């Protein structure tokens, strides 16, 4: 008798990306084409992935640019005022103001 195989529903399905995630991936690919430095790409990833995670946890209804309202960006900036850099220090004011 051969061993039985179980199929787990959804185990191999790709994760659904929001329109914002797809737009960021397109933007990042374009920046690579313009030969921006790896450090710049890493900084984009750090800042944008953080924003996208925050959106997913706080603003479930924001899935596309059309859904992204000024109030959401203001709330994110307010959140950043109490967050830390990768080295544990507070973010500089110009960093918070430039997040848009």
């Amino acid at each position: 008798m051969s061993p039985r195989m179980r199929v787990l529903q959804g185990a191999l399905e790709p994760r659904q990306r929001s329109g914002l995630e797809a737009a960021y991936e397109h933007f990042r690919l374009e920046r690579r084409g313009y030969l921006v430095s790896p450090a710049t790409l890493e900084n984009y990833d750090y800042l944008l992935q953080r924003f996208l995670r925050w959106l997913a946890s706080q603003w479930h209804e924001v899935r596309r640019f059309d859904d992204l309202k000024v109030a959401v960006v203001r709330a994110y900036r307010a959140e950043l005022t109490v967050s830390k850099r990768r080295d544990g220090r507070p973010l500089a004011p110009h960093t918070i103001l430039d997040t848009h």
Side-chain angles (χ1 to χ4, degrees), residues 3 10 19 29 38 48 59-60 64 72 75 86-87 90 100:
L29 183 62
L48 269 292
W59 296 83
H60 307 283
R64 304 171 327 155
V72 176
R86 288 182 260 196
D87 62 6
H100 68 283

Side-chain angles (χ1 to χ4, degrees), residues 10-22:
L12 298 177
E13 294 175 11
R15 186 180 72 79
Q16 286 283 64
R17 295 181 314 169
S18 73
L20 288 171
E21 289 172 314

Side-chain angles (χ1 to χ4, degrees), residues 51 54 68-78 99-100:
F51 176 65
W54 178 82
L68 190 58
K69 305 298 181 204
V70 171
V72 176
V73 176
R74 286 182 181 146
Y76 181 66
R77 281 186 172 175
T99 57
H100 68 283

Side-chain angles (χ1 to χ4, degrees), residues 60-94:
H60 307 283
E61 66 276 10
V62 177
R63 308 261 316 139
R64 304 171 327 155
F65 279 113
D66 292 345
D67 303 330
L68 190 58
K69 305 298 181 204
V70 171
V72 176
V73 176
R74 286 182 181 146
Y76 181 66
R77 281 186 172 175
E79 182 86 13
L80 288 177
T81 63
V82 296
S83 64
K84 306 284 186 216
R85 298 183 335 186
R86 288 182 260 196
D87 62 6
R89 295 172 49 193
L91 294 173
H94 72 273

Side-chain angles (χ1 to χ4, degrees), residues 7-48:
V7 176
L8 301 175
Q9 286 297 98
L12 298 177
E13 294 175 11
R15 186 180 72 79
Q16 286 283 64
R17 295 181 314 169
S18 73
L20 288 171
E21 289 172 314
Y24 171 63
E25 288 175 16
H26 179 75
F27 167 80
R28 192 180 189 286
L29 183 62
E30 183 179 71
R31 297 287 102 190
R32 281 184 61 202
Y34 287 140
L35 303 176
V36 299
S37 74
T40 298
L41 292 173
E42 183 180 319
N43 188 53
Y44 290 159
D45 289 343
Y46 177 71
L47 293 174
L48 269 292

